[in-house]
Amino acid sequence: RQSQIIETAAKLIKQKGFENTSMRDLAAEMKIEASSLYNHIQNKDEILKTICFEMANEFITAMAEVNDIYFDAEQKLYLAVKNHIQLITQETEKAYVFVNEWRRLAPADLTEFIALRDQYEKGFAVIMKNGEDEGLFNEVDKKFAVLTILSSLNWVVEWYKPNGSMTSEEIAEKLTNFILSGLKKQKL
């Protein structure tokens, strides 16, 4: 029941925003009494925390797997982008909440979440550094590059449609090619 509550809440939060979604809205959408929700969850903050931390952990696990593989940096970048896009296109409502509402986490949770986000960003920075060391990528400001890449990837939640003209794999390939066009050293 808790997973059904989380999924329904994610849908409502995507439609109305975290601040404008109430527990009464959630209960009405689920066709249950608001008091029944509290048998499964404490409050709206718990829902947001669950969504944000579950997704953050999925991203971190996927990045650890990529950086554990013996591929060159270009291949790792493609896999990291592909994994990111797959995660945000599998559960679009949760992904939308994760990308757009994390700032509304309770202060203690926000601090912990930012540490997880920083850990994930470091995974991309490792790929950038490996690419430079391998002579594949230009030397770049890694923080700027990582934030630019993640902004591009996370923007997908704003326009992706499961029945749209591109699959998640096609999106990942196009984004990776675009990102690589700015990172790759030009061959003379």
Side-chain angles (χ1 to χ4, degrees), residues 74-153:
E74 190 174 328
Q75 293 167 310
K76 285 184 178 186
L77 180 64
Y78 173 72
L79 284 174
V81 169
K82 180 180 174 190
N83 289 344
H84 191 101
I85 297 300
Q86 282 180 334
L87 285 170
I88 64 173
T89 57
Q90 281 174 349
E91 296 181 277
T92 55
E93 286 89 6
K94 286 183 183 178
Y96 182 90
V97 172
F98 172 82
V99 168
N100 292 294
E101 300 287 355
W102 63 268
R103 290 170 192 83
R104 293 181 177 38
L105 287 163
D109 296 332
L110 184 59
T111 300
E112 188 180 345
F113 179 81
I114 289 171
L116 293 175
R117 185 194 65 193
D118 291 347
Q119 182 181 346
Y120 184 64
E121 289 173 4
K122 283 179 188 167
F124 273 100
V126 166
I127 294 171
M128 303 290 112
K129 176 76 171 111
N130 289 345
E132 290 173 8
D133 293 346
E134 294 165 5
L136 296 173
F137 297 166
N138 292 310
E139 286 190 31
V140 295
D141 178 330
K142 282 165 215 42
K143 181 75 172 174
F144 182 79
V146 169
L147 293 178
T148 300
I149 290 167
L150 288 174
S151 293
S152 297
L153 302 182

Side-chain angles (χ1 to χ4, degrees), residues 2-97:
Q2 186 179 17
S3 63
Q4 183 184 12
I5 292 168
I6 298 293
E7 287 175 23
T8 304
K11 182 177 123 188
L12 284 174
I13 294 168
K14 182 178 181 185
Q15 291 170 359
K16 300 172 74 167
F18 182 74
E19 296 296 329
N20 295 323
T21 301
S22 70
M23 294 296 278
R24 288 183 196 274
D25 295 333
L26 179 55
E29 182 73 17
M30 295 186 71
K31 297 175 179 39
I32 61 174
E33 294 294 321
S35 58
S36 298
L37 287 173
Y38 295 102
N39 293 327
H40 304 283
I41 55 168
Q42 292 177 8
N43 53 36
K44 199 167 73 162
D45 290 334
E46 181 184 348
I47 293 169
L48 182 61
K49 179 181 179 179
T50 299
I51 292 169
C52 289
F53 280 78
E54 281 180 3
M55 290 212 68
N57 287 317
E58 288 181 43
F59 282 113
I60 288 168
T61 299
M63 181 60 76
E65 290 171 2
V66 166
N67 276 323
D68 218 26
I69 298 172
Y70 187 71
F71 285 165
D72 69 25
E74 190 174 328
Q75 293 167 310
K76 285 184 178 186
L77 180 64
Y78 173 72
L79 284 174
V81 169
K82 180 180 174 190
N83 289 344
H84 191 101
I85 297 300
Q86 282 180 334
L87 285 170
I88 64 173
T89 57
Q90 281 174 349
E91 296 181 277
T92 55
E93 286 89 6
K94 286 183 183 178
Y96 182 90
V97 172

